[in-house]
Amino acid sequence: MSRYDELPWKFEPRPSTSQRLNIHTSPNTNARTIQNIKQCKHIPEADVEELCSKVIELLIQEANIQHVDTPVTICGDIHGQLHDLLTLFKTGGECPGTQYLFLGDFVDRGFYSLESFLLLVALKVRYPDRITLVRGNHESRQITTVYGFYDECVRKYGSVNVWRYCCEVFDYLSLGAIVGGKGGVFCIHGGLSPDIETVDQIRILDRKQEVPHEGGMCDLLWSDPEDVQGWAISPRGAGFLFGENEVNTFLHHNNILLIARAHQLVMEGYKEMFNQGLVTVWLAPNYCYRCGNIASVLTIDDDLNREYKVFEAATQDVGAIPSKKPAVEYFI
Amino acid sequence: MLSPLEKIDKAIRATDLDALACRHSANQANYITPQDPFIEPLILSYKSNLQYCSGYTNLSAGRTLRSVFGERKLPLINRGTYLRTKLIDQVTEEFIKQFDVCQILSLGGGSDTRGFRFLEKFERVIYHEIDFPESTKIKKVAILRNEKLKSIVESQGESVDITSKEQFQQLSPNLHTKRYHLQSYDLRKLSSGLTSEDVIPLLKHFDSSLPTLVLSECVLCYASPSENEEIIKFWKHQCRGLVSFLIYEPMSLNDSFGATMTKNLLQRGINLQTFNELPDLNSRLVFLSDICGLSHIKLTNMSDVGGYVIYSSSKKPWIEVSDMKRINKLEFIDEVEEIKLLFEHYCLCYAESSPGDITFEGVNEVRWESDDWS
């Protein structure tokens, strides 16, 4: 456990972490950058590099499993749908007023992966104690070269540098979080692993690397709950499918009330399974501008009560889809 | 300037480029084994001749080709392309194996390479392809400029080199050899009360005594349900023996995915006319049996074909387990839920008409979602 984990939650003084780490960010510069990102303005390469190195200095101090206090709003996959992320902040409350926990998959598929990721990074640098970022399976060099983030960076900057800076940040992201301490909510992008029985086992993993193809760290980012007995092979090609027994055992062993995870598209925005022992939350509405699904976030209050907020896609916004958009793909 | 109707037709013809780009991508990503060598000559023909097609200029053709072939296809598109190609191949092969001397009639096949593959593999099959004249011209040029294709279709034709719109316009859109018939025709005309003379080009090379398999891969969906009915009935009446139909196309399922798809495709100028009118397997069953008068109807959706629906069925899966394992290893899959969702919205329908007792037995070899109707 890092000392950051042991600190009692403090809202004031907010930039404490930054001060400890000797980061000199002018709040004005950062506020301006945040505004520019929100408006999809071009962020100079040097600024991206600076943001990334600042956030790495913060993330390097974080534990594999971050401790997060209540109340907090837990959000699933964004996948580059910046306009929907902005809708979330408008309806769910801006950061830092509302505390957020993002369960990964910030990039790929959508048209604004870079802006979505930079916005979260900039908020993290500005309000390190009010936003927690957890790694998803798409925060990986290999996956981003297939699913769009790499191409987007090269298209926007003409070189791979920006993609490289971001990928370096990916390696430092936490693997999960526990909301509300003992008896609280275990948050992860994908799911459980046959190699991992306790949260303490996750705490000692060496996370600062590209997501491996197998093993505990891979499974946490890739696995899915399913109505299966025990563990089954995942059709995704990585991670496992895990059943109700595995969830119950994990909850019991680790004194956890609920597993909150993302990773799977849910048409209704969220889906509770296994006697409410696990929930999938999904943030990207009308995923890939094609799926027609609604989105949701989960707020955990001080008594660990769950409140789901659902919302629809920001389609009215003409900027949500760029004019020179890649074709939405069907078989035609 | 194109009229609104011409614009719609241009958008429909452009879907062939999408299909070709998908096959190209699945081929490059090693889904298709052994690799399909006939995709490349078709791409070359498009690269030199798309500029001469109506509604295109040199510039716009170049732009279109760059955007269609320049973008990486997602793993789910590669997978879906492979599954659909593989299973239509599978059914076609079973048909040829059962009947030996028979004909395959591909409706609106565009730049599809199935004909070449089957003509090469089976010596007695006859292959017909019917499409818009511009589409058949693209294919004809591809064939005539490629020695391998020429020998497969057994054509003695001279290689052609098109250098102007006029020359392209003057090129005859048809190509007929002993076993291969490439015929230009707008199939939608079949619903407009044609005289027997109007259909001569369609029937001149058609042997109505042979068992016939009619393929429609994302083609009939661009015609209205009544045009669909007329097209199906037309071929049904031409065949004195068994005629089988194998239809692959999208359906809306009346859900939000379907509604989004309608909207997205309309933005491209594509109106899927059967999409909402025949929204699910059940409505397609009624259409094929009650309206078209066909029997032995079998239906499935592609999610089932891809093994994304868990079944207790003891029937053989569409795709062998070893092959599924092979393609699972080719690329990581991002969203299984998304694949299920997309594939559920595509159906494969089989139906037949036979005046005698002859029926296509081989179609029972694979597992259909609904196969208890006959």
Side-chain angles (χ1 to χ4, degrees), chain B residues 29 57 208 221 233 284 293 343-344:
Chain B
T57 62
S208 56
C221 51
K233 282 184 174 166
R284 281 166 195 268
F343 289 12
E344 260 168 26

Side-chain angles (χ1 to χ4, degrees), chain B residues 96-374:
Chain B
I96 299 172
K97 279 182 180 161
Q98 183 175 336
F99 297 105
D100 188 24
V101 184
C102 59
Q103 58 193 350
I104 311 298
L105 170 60
S106 166
L107 304 181
S111 56
D112 184 30
T113 60
R114 182 171 291 111
F116 307 133
R117 289 185 279 115
F118 279 99
L119 286 168
E120 191 180 33
K121 193 167 175 185
F122 297 98
E123 284 176 3
R124 291 148 72 88
V125 71
I126 294 170
Y127 212 96
H128 299 263
E129 305 201 74
I130 301 172
D131 210 332
F132 290 120
E134 285 189 346
S135 305
T136 60
K137 284 180 190 179
I138 297 275
K139 198 164 210 168
K140 180 175 172 175
V141 174
I143 295 169
L144 294 179
R145 294 186 59 134
N146 183 293
E147 289 305 320
K148 181 96 196 273
L149 287 179
K150 250 168 83 171
S151 87
I152 287 173
V153 306
E154 298 168 28
S155 164
Q156 314 296 325
E158 295 277 307
S159 172
V160 282
D161 195 9
I162 310 284
T163 51
S164 71
K165 259 194 153 71
E166 292 70 34
Q167 207 186 341
F168 187 72
Q169 205 137 38
Q170 281 158 16
L171 179 75
S172 152
N174 307 320
L175 179 69
H176 295 287
T177 68
K178 215 172 93 208
R179 295 203 294 139
Y180 181 68
H181 301 282
L182 182 62
Q183 177 68 49
S184 77
Y185 204 84
D186 183 348
L187 289 161
R188 294 169 301 185
K189 285 201 300 198
L190 291 177
S191 66
S192 56
L194 296 173
T195 63
S196 53
E197 235 161 74
D198 295 327
V199 294
I200 284 177
L202 280 182
L203 299 177
K204 199 170 161 199
H205 303 278
F206 189 80
D207 186 343
S208 56
S209 67
L210 288 180
T212 303
L213 173 64
V214 181
L215 301 176
S216 161
E217 207 177 338
C218 268
V219 172
L220 288 172
C221 51
Y222 300 113
S224 70
S226 67
E227 287 165 343
N228 267 263
E229 182 189 338
E230 294 299 332
I231 293 167
I232 289 172
K233 282 184 174 166
F234 176 83
W235 294 108
K236 185 182 143 192
H237 291 138
Q238 298 315 318
C239 296
R240 278 182 274 146
L242 173 78
V243 55
S244 296
F245 293 86
L246 190 63
I247 299 165
Y248 164 88
E249 58 185 53
M251 49 185 184
S252 81
L253 300 183
N254 287 325
D255 63 9
S256 57
F257 182 96
T260 311
M261 183 163 169
T262 304
K263 212 166 59 192
N264 284 336
L265 288 179
L266 274 177
Q267 278 181 356
R268 268 190 65 168
I270 295 169
N271 180 14
L272 296 173
Q273 300 194 55
T274 60
F275 190 63
N276 291 307
E277 302 253 359
L278 302 173
D280 51 24
L281 294 184
N282 202 43
S283 58
R284 281 166 195 268
L285 168 73
V286 173
F287 176 75
L288 292 169
S289 64
D290 297 4
I291 297 177
C292 300
L294 299 172
S295 62
H296 289 87
I297 294 160
K298 292 167 191 301
L299 309 148
T300 194
N301 73 44
M302 293 301 290
S303 196
D304 182 30
V305 170
Y308 299 107
V309 184
I310 296 165
Y311 270 96
S312 52
S313 168
S314 55
K315 277 203 178 174
K316 195 171 119 185
W318 281 97
I319 307 290
E320 279 175 38
V321 176
S322 59
D323 198 31
M324 273 316 279
K325 276 192 183 151
R326 178 185 70 84
I327 64 170
N328 279 346
K329 279 193 195 135
L330 293 176
E331 294 176 296
F332 279 119
I333 287 299
D334 174 31
E335 264 306 320
V336 175
E337 299 302 316
E338 185 194 12
I339 289 195
K340 272 189 210 163
L341 190 62
L342 177 64
F343 289 12
E344 260 168 26
H345 288 78
Y346 285 83
C347 62
L348 187 72
C349 311
Y350 174 82
E352 66 181 40
S353 165
S354 173
D357 295 338
I358 302 165
T359 177
F360 174 27
E361 310 281 353
V363 78
N364 299 310
E365 286 298 305
V366 281
R367 182 186 68 199
W368 296 85
E369 194 173 310
S370 322
D371 64 354
D372 45 354
W373 294 295
S374 48

Side-chain angles (χ1 to χ4, degrees), chain A residues 127-325:
Chain A
Y127 313 108
D129 301 319
R130 298 296 289 166
I131 178 167
T132 305
L133 304 178
V134 165
R135 191 172 192 175
N137 61 313
H138 279 263
E139 276 71 59
S140 126
R141 288 165 187 79
Q142 198 187 357
I143 300 298
T144 50
T145 51
V146 176
Y147 282 101
F149 181 52
Y150 175 89
D151 293 335
E152 181 185 320
C153 291
V154 171
R155 195 166 63 237
K156 286 174 178 168
Y157 290 87
S159 82
V160 299
N161 293 345
V162 161
W163 175 75
R164 286 222 178 98
Y165 302 144
C166 294
C167 287
E168 206 177 328
V169 177
F170 296 164
D171 289 344
Y172 289 90
L173 291 167
S174 294
L175 301 178
I178 288 187
V179 171
K182 282 201 168 63
V185 182
F186 177 66
C187 305
I188 200 100
H189 176 71
L192 302 180
S193 167
D195 293 352
I196 291 173
E197 285 171 23
T198 67
V199 175
D200 285 337
Q201 283 175 287
I202 306 174
R203 293 187 210 274
I204 57 170
L205 290 174
D206 176 18
R207 77 168 190 267
K208 294 170 187 83
Q209 54 170 324
E210 170 76 349
V211 181
H213 285 188
E214 53 189 16
M217 177 170 162
C218 164
D219 300 342
L220 293 169
L221 273 59
W222 276 96
S223 295
D224 295 305
E226 184 61 80
D227 289 319
V228 291
Q229 294 293 320
W231 303 93
I233 291 170
S234 168
R236 293 180 191 259
F240 288 86
L241 302 177
F242 56 96
E244 180 161 13
N245 271 343
E246 282 53 49
V247 169
N248 287 338
T249 308
F250 190 86
L251 294 176
H252 181 75
H253 269 182
N254 295 284
N255 188 15
I256 288 164
L257 176 72
L258 166 74
I259 297 173
R261 44 87 66 175
H263 196 37
Q264 268 176 306
L265 170 65
V266 183
M267 293 301 282
E268 301 77 25
Y270 68 94
K271 184 182 174 189
E272 291 188 332
M273 289 173 82
F274 306 148
N275 208 12
Q276 302 196 315
L278 179 143
V279 66
T280 301
V281 286
W282 182 265
L283 183 56
N286 195 19
Y287 180 45
C288 300
Y289 317 96
R290 169 170 66 186
C291 289
N293 60 292
I294 53 175
S296 82
V297 291
L298 165 62
T299 301
I300 304 286
D301 72 13
D302 292 341
D303 299 320
L304 297 179
N305 293 315
R306 313 169 191 181
E307 189 202 346
Y308 297 99
K309 248 184 227 131
V310 295
F311 58 97
E312 289 180 18
T315 44
Q316 290 78 11
D317 195 332
V318 285
I321 298 174
S323 53
K324 269 188 78 180
K325 61 168 179 168

